[in-house]
Amino acid sequence: MVNQELIVFGLRLKQLRLEQGLSQEQLGLLADLDRTYISGIERGVRNVSLLNILRLANALNLPAIKLFEQGGRS
C-alpha cells in the first residue's frame, strides 16, 4: 500500500541529500544507517522512526524541521 506522506518525505530527503552532493551510501555512513534503508526512505517504502529522522537531519547538518518542509521553500 502506497502512503503519499512517506513518498513526499522521501523525495524531500533525496532533494536535500543531492543538494549537498551526497550519495545514499555517504549519507548512510554519516547517519549510521544502511544505504538500502536510505533508498527505502527515498522511495517511500520505509516508515522512518523519530530517532532516524534526527540522525538524518544531523548527518545533513540541518534542523529536523527542514526534512518536513516543502521542497521549494527554504
Side-chain angles (χ1 to χ4, degrees):
M1 193 159 78
V2 176
N3 183 302
Q4 191 62 34
E5 288 84 6
L6 295 178
I7 292 171
V8 170
F9 182 85
L11 290 174
R12 177 63 174 155
L13 177 63
K14 182 177 182 177
Q15 176 190 27
L16 293 168
R17 175 179 63 76
L18 292 175
E19 284 176 4
Q20 294 195 22
L22 296 172
S23 68
Q24 289 178 345
E25 178 132 11
Q26 290 169 319
L27 178 57
L29 289 171
L30 291 170
D32 196 27
L33 298 169
D34 192 85
R35 183 206 58 80
T36 59
Y37 185 73
I38 302 294
S39 174
I41 296 169
E42 291 184 356
R43 290 181 289 120
V45 298
R46 301 296 298 229
N47 191 355
V48 189
S49 73
L50 175 59
L51 292 177
N52 286 341
I53 289 170
L54 295 173
R55 283 179 168 185
L56 290 165
N58 187 50
L60 293 167
N61 292 315
L62 297 171
I65 192 66
K66 289 287 187 183
L67 295 172
F68 296 94
E69 292 178 350
Q70 294 299 316
R73 296 187 304 185
S74 296

